[in-house]
Amino acid sequence: MNASPTQSGAAPRLTSLSHGGGCGCKIAPGVLSALLARSTPLTAAFPNLLVGTETADDAAVYKLNDEQAIVATTDFFMPIVDDPYDFGRIAATNALSDVYAMGGKPILALALVGMPINVLPHDVIAQVLRGGEDVCAAAGIPVAGGHSIDSVEPIYGLAAIGVVHPDRVKRNASAHAGDVLVLGKPLGVGVLSAALKKDRLDAAGYQAMVAAATKLNTPGAKLAGLDGVHAMTDVTGFGLLGHTLEIARGAGLTAHVRYADLPFLPGVEAFVADGVFTGASGRNWASYGESVTLGADLPPVAQALLTDPQTSGGLLVACAPERVDDVLAIFRAEGFDDVRTIGQLSAGPARVDVA
């Protein structure tokens, strides 16, 4: 009889056990919209529900009193990397990002765990959990419980709870015409994850990907208290175009993105030029491409990079022009050296134009 993995210690690559990885696992935005089309809006029936499902925002927000509101979210996915500790760190960072994107401060998390118990050694699963716990400790919160199941594919994430002042909630739908768009992290995590699966990512590229995906979006909580910050979201599975389009649609404005000002992780443009990117890029474009105009002078790799699913991506902020320096200063004080201004919003149809 052959020894089981839990007995022998042999472990398959985590990414070999899943059909997708990270935020590339998300249901395509067009399909998701169709699935939710018949959902009943809840904010009218529950007046203390400040943010529900109406604008595809990052988390639910429920007002407790005049000084406090609860931010509640959940996020989980299959492995984007093979190192179990890094997988746990990335998934936890990604889940907490939704709290920061609402302007909230996390206070606790619950672990969501689905693992093929008879396939993965138990110490590998324990490393996934430890990665999530260490990220939560860095955020100053406990993993206070959770739920686990025996699953065909490995799945890990968090249900995250945070708090925010009701007047400081930052929605993705409250941008103003004239606002400047600020992006906190470089793009390209999905491309690098595709390169990893193909055994084409070197150690430096891997470290760059993990460093970006495990950087907590802590500026969000500080940006909540800054007048002139009108809207905020994080760039994840729908790519930069998809999440910028959510801001544009929510406010009924046109977003103008400057391709030349976008920050990218090292090597991603060359990988895309060589045909290395995720299938989610095509699904994203099919879902919302009709609401996007790509300039004729953009490089051939632009569409794949702009639709690249970001796992634990950066905050996308819409702020008044006079507040840009303050927003950039908050990001840089938190160690976000790649923060960039990438465009602006103007009156016009709800779409994204990239030049």
Side-chain angles (χ1 to χ4, degrees), residues 86-106:
D86 286 343
F87 170 38
R89 293 167 64 213
I90 292 169
T93 305
N94 180 73
L96 294 180
S97 181
D98 286 339
V99 176
Y100 292 123
M102 303 304 299
K105 181 179 179 181

Side-chain angles (χ1 to χ4, degrees), residues 13 80 187-202 209 264-282 300-310:
R13 290 180 62 174
I80 189 175
L187 303 168
V189 170
V191 172
L192 295 187
S193 71
L196 177 67
K197 269 201 164 186
K198 295 176 181 290
D199 290 319
R200 295 183 58 178
L201 190 65
D202 62 17
M209 178 180 71
F264 292 107
L265 288 166
V268 297
E269 293 162 293
F271 276 129
V272 172
D274 202 24
V276 178
F277 50 90
T278 73
S281 289
V301 298
Q303 181 177 311
L305 288 171
L306 293 168
T307 55
D308 183 48
Q310 302 306 290

Side-chain angles (χ1 to χ4, degrees), residues 82-308:
D82 293 310
D83 184 284
Y85 181 70
D86 286 343
F87 170 38
R89 293 167 64 213
I90 292 169
T93 305
N94 180 73
L96 294 180
S97 181
D98 286 339
V99 176
Y100 292 123
M102 303 304 299
K105 181 179 179 181
I107 57 172
L108 65 86
L110 305 174
L112 305 173
V113 184
M115 293 289 163
I117 296 298
N118 294 323
V119 176
L120 285 176
H122 293 177
D123 65 329
V124 169
I125 297 172
Q127 289 178 57
V128 175
L129 302 184
R130 183 168 61 86
E133 290 166 357
D134 284 355
V135 162
C136 288
I141 67 170
V143 178
H147 184 65
S148 61
I149 61 169
D150 187 355
S151 171
V152 175
E153 295 181 286
I155 297 169
Y156 179 72
L158 301 175
I161 305 297
V163 292
V164 66
H165 192 287
D167 296 337
R168 294 182 176 179
V169 175
K170 300 302 177 185
R171 305 191 59 170
N172 67 356
S174 51
H176 296 184
D179 278 355
V180 174
L181 293 171
V182 178
L183 179 63
K185 289 186 185 182
L187 303 168
V189 170
V191 172
L192 295 187
S193 71
L196 177 67
K197 269 201 164 186
K198 295 176 181 290
D199 290 319
R200 295 183 58 178
L201 190 65
D202 62 17
Y206 180 81
Q207 290 303 319
M209 178 180 71
V210 172
T214 57
K215 193 169 187 63
L216 288 163
N217 278 321
T218 52
K222 296 184 178 180
L223 291 169
L226 188 62
D227 291 338
V229 173
H230 297 135
M232 192 156 54
T233 189
D234 59 349
V235 180
T236 54
F238 302 154
L240 177 66
L241 287 180
H243 294 285
T244 303
L245 186 58
E246 287 178 343
I247 287 179
R249 285 174 171 168
L253 299 171
T254 299
H256 306 272
V257 174
R258 299 184 299 272
Y259 185 85
D261 291 338
L262 296 176
F264 292 107
L265 288 166
V268 297
E269 293 162 293
F271 276 129
V272 172
D274 202 24
V276 178
F277 50 90
T278 73
S281 289
R283 294 193 296 272
N284 282 340
W285 181 257
S287 294
Y288 55 64
E290 63 183 16
S291 297
V292 176
T293 299
L294 300 181
D297 294 333
L298 296 183
V301 298
Q303 181 177 311
L305 288 171
L306 293 168
T307 55
D308 183 48

